[in-house]
Amino acid sequence: MSADTTPLATRTPATRAVPRVLSIAGTDPTGGAGIQADLKSIGANGGYGMAVVTALVAQNTRGVRSVHVPPVTFLREQLDAVSDDVELDAVKIGMLADVDVITAVREWLVRVAPPIVVLDPVMVATSGDRLLRADAEGALRELARLAHVVTPNIPELAILADEPQATSWQQTLDQAARVSTRLGVMVLAKGGHLECDTAPDALVDATGDELLVTVYEASRIETTNTHGTGCSLSSGLATRLVGSLQPAHAVGEVKRWISESIRGGRDLAVGDGNGPIHHFAGMWQRAGLDTRPTPGEVRADWWESIREVREQIDALPFVLGLGDGSLRDDAFRGYLAQDALYLRDYARALATASALAPTVAEQAFWAAASQGSITAELELHESWLADGAYDGTVADDATSAYLNHLLARCAEGRYDTLIAALLPCFWLYQDIGLRLLPRSHDTHPYRSWIETYADAGIAEVTETAVEFVTQAAARAEERGREAMRVAFTRSAEHELAFFVAPLLS
């Protein structure tokens, strides 16, 4: 098998959600360059990063102190250990140190043929320290033929071209075109070393019938946080190329990310020399650091958050009397009359939830709840209020306040907040019914009410409602989840007021 050098623009892109990207490079104990930076860059650009160490580098932000190259046999063992087990989507190659290391990597590339190879021809550190033996330059040029993209800075581009260093942007582009033609590889030419107000980059592709040059203009960022920029750019690009139809687009995306990370470097305080970039600056700013809870965690947290409300409901004379059968008949019938008024608009709110639901399953559930469950409960009310004594009843303050809360959530048109507000009517009633059921008996005056809410069908419906609401809360961003919790809590408080009201009149 030979290395896969099919042009990237003609490939069918991978469809993996998380690209598996291997970095083959040296180390940086301060974390700003080498494989440490590569792993951060791969993760920041949506990939799963792996690393094979070519050299152990004693360095910091001020410079390189020494380089230890492990035996090449150990390098081969590392490479084989990864590729024997993991299907690779892309490989980024950085510091290779000497001819033996380059040869080992070349042999592995020919045998494994990764679908994407990005070579960062690391030769000289930002500090000026030499990271590649001079006698290995020719071997590195030959290795570049197995890559799809190389990402040299201006001094490294000159070495690849075996020419004097470019001193202008046009010279840089011309030199990149010659390297692309000679080595059969796309060249990401970088203008950061030029003495000018801008820092342009360009993707130069002379591997086909015509020269293609895509220029990326960028303002120069005044900062000393540039340590590891080349490492980070190349590993980020290797990740972005997986699944990309157009290499030029992938370069544009990683360019925006690297600029954001360079700007964010000022927030770091790492070292006294050229500090590192902040690989996760944009991610932290946009997403924060809070983890999302699981639906089970939401369930436990919300139920606990209304513990005081539940305990107050349990202690109410109405509920105590309902449980032992001592509740006055007129108080119970008055409660049912208010509940009948409440259920009319509650059914409308359930129907609104069905209309707003994002899935067919949720749509069907809330529609069924509006029709089936409410119909069953209204039958219970009609059996108690058939004499017409409570005809003409108007909503009291507690009923009106509860309905206003639900209808306001309907008017907002936000599905998640609405179903959170609907949940306590399921959850609290089913909980009360279950706990009062052991006190029910054949002659209990309120047996039918207790057994309605303790019924297995009600339990199943309630469980589904809890699942849909807690799943939505787990998916939501923090602000949306908090809005849901507030709507849920207020409905629970309205339930408390609803049970208080019958004995106030």
Side-chain angles (χ1 to χ4, degrees):
M1 182 183 293
S2 60
D4 186 353
T5 56
T6 307
L8 290 178
T10 63
R11 293 174 180 271
T12 300
T15 57
R16 286 193 55 78
V18 182
R20 298 157 296 190
V21 184
L22 173 65
S23 166
I24 305 172
T27 66
D28 175 9
T30 64
I35 60 170
Q36 286 89 339
D38 288 344
L39 292 173
K40 295 173 189 175
S41 301
I42 293 165
N45 283 278
Y48 175 78
M50 295 162 280
V52 164
V53 178
T54 59
L56 301 170
V57 185
Q59 67 171 311
N60 55 31
T61 62
R62 292 179 294 194
V64 176
R65 298 186 178 185
S66 65
V67 177
H68 171 66
V69 180
V72 173
T73 54
F74 181 63
L75 171 61
R76 292 193 178 99
E77 289 174 354
Q78 291 183 80
L79 291 167
D80 290 342
V82 175
S83 59
D84 288 350
D85 182 41
V86 181
E87 182 179 350
L88 300 173
D89 297 305
V91 172
K92 172 266 169 84
I93 303 172
M95 179 183 175
L96 296 177
D98 60 31
V99 172
D100 291 340
V101 171
I102 293 173
T103 300
V105 172
R106 177 185 174 84
E107 292 172 350
W108 179 82
L109 285 177
V110 170
R111 179 164 51 84
V112 175
I116 293 171
V117 178
V118 176
L119 172 63
D120 180 21
V122 177
M123 302 175 189
V124 181
T126 304
S127 60
D129 296 291
R130 187 80 187 190
L131 296 176
L132 179 75
R133 290 170 57 98
D135 60 2
E137 292 173 0
L140 189 64
R141 293 189 195 99
E142 291 305 307
L143 179 68
R145 296 181 186 276
L146 299 181
H148 299 95
V149 185
V150 294
T151 62
N153 58 31
I154 287 179
E156 292 163 345
L157 178 62
I159 295 173
L160 287 177
D162 198 16
E163 299 173 358
Q165 183 172 316
T167 58
S168 70
W169 180 233
Q170 187 58 53
Q171 289 178 6
T172 302
L173 294 177
D174 293 342
Q175 197 168 72
R178 289 191 292 274
V179 169
S180 178
T181 301
R182 188 179 308 157
L183 302 180
V185 62
M186 286 188 287
V187 178
L188 179 56
K190 300 180 288 188
H193 282 73
L194 296 174
E195 296 292 334
C196 57
D197 294 334
T198 61
D201 292 343
L203 183 64
V204 180
D205 184 2
T207 62
D209 295 333
E210 60 179 326
L211 175 64
L212 302 175
V213 179
T214 306
V215 177
Y216 307 87
E217 298 288 353
S219 300
R220 187 175 294 276
I221 301 171
E222 295 300 328
T223 180
T224 58
N225 284 83
T226 56
H227 182 53
T229 304
C231 304
S232 301
L233 177 66
S234 56
S235 52
L237 177 58
T239 309
R240 292 276 187 171
L241 285 171
V242 179
S244 177
L245 286 170
Q246 295 296 331
H249 176 73
V251 172
E253 290 298 310
V254 81
K255 277 282 297 174
R256 281 186 284 275
W257 166 75
I258 202 76
S259 295
E260 180 179 66
S261 300
I262 292 172
R263 288 192 297 269
R266 63 177 175 267
D267 296 330
L268 302 176
V270 178
D272 296 323
N274 291 312
I277 67 173
H278 191 339
H279 298 83
F280 303 108
M283 295 177 63
W284 292 0
Q285 181 182 17
R286 288 185 290 274
L289 300 177
D290 293 332
T291 58
R292 291 185 181 180
T294 65
E297 290 170 336
V298 172
R299 179 186 189 130
D301 178 56
W302 286 16
W303 191 244
E304 179 62 26
S305 73
I306 62 168
R307 172 184 289 274
E308 184 176 348
V309 171
R310 292 187 287 115
E311 290 176 346
Q312 290 178 29
I313 290 175
D314 287 347
L316 289 176
F318 180 89
V319 174
L320 293 173
L322 190 63
D324 64 18
S326 65
L327 181 66
R328 298 194 326 264
D329 177 78
D330 65 311
F332 182 70
R333 283 157 53 84
Y335 152 78
L336 287 181
Q338 290 297 320
D339 202 31
L341 295 174
Y342 165 82
L343 286 172
R344 294 173 189 173
D345 279 333
Y346 186 66
R348 295 188 179 99
L350 288 166
T352 301
S354 175
L356 295 173
T359 68
V360 173
E362 290 167 278
Q363 184 179 22
F365 171 76
W366 297 114
S370 177
Q371 181 178 358
S373 297
I374 300 305
T375 299
E377 292 186 41
L378 285 176
E379 289 176 355
L380 173 66
H381 292 75
E382 290 171 0
S383 68
W384 280 85
L385 304 175
D387 60 8
Y390 287 86
D391 291 349
T393 299
V394 298
D396 61 20
D397 290 344
T399 303
S400 297
Y402 198 171
L403 290 176
N404 287 340
H405 168 60
L406 294 180
L407 295 177
R409 304 292 77 74
C410 290
E412 290 171 349
R414 292 199 289 267
Y415 172 73
D416 290 356
T417 311
L418 173 58
I419 61 174
L422 293 171
L423 183 57
C425 190
F426 287 89
W427 209 353
L428 287 174
Y429 272 73
Q430 193 255 341
D431 177 65
I432 292 171
L434 280 179
R435 287 186 292 104
L436 294 185
L437 183 61
R439 307 185 69 179
S440 178
H441 50 80
D442 290 346
T443 59
H444 195 295
Y446 306 119
R447 175 186 174 188
S448 60
W449 188 96
I450 293 173
E451 292 184 355
T452 293
Y453 291 106
D455 180 73
I458 292 290
E460 182 178 351
V461 169
T462 298
E463 183 61 28
T464 302
V466 172
E467 288 179 1
F468 281 141
V469 174
T470 56
Q471 287 169 2
R475 290 192 303 267
E477 299 296 336
E478 183 177 1
R479 180 179 298 181
R481 186 164 52 252
E482 177 60 16
M484 291 180 68
R485 188 196 63 78
V486 169
F488 169 80
T489 302
R490 287 179 179 169
S491 287
E493 293 167 347
H494 282 301
E495 289 288 354
L496 171 62
F498 199 83
F499 282 121
V500 170
L503 293 180
L504 294 179
S505 56

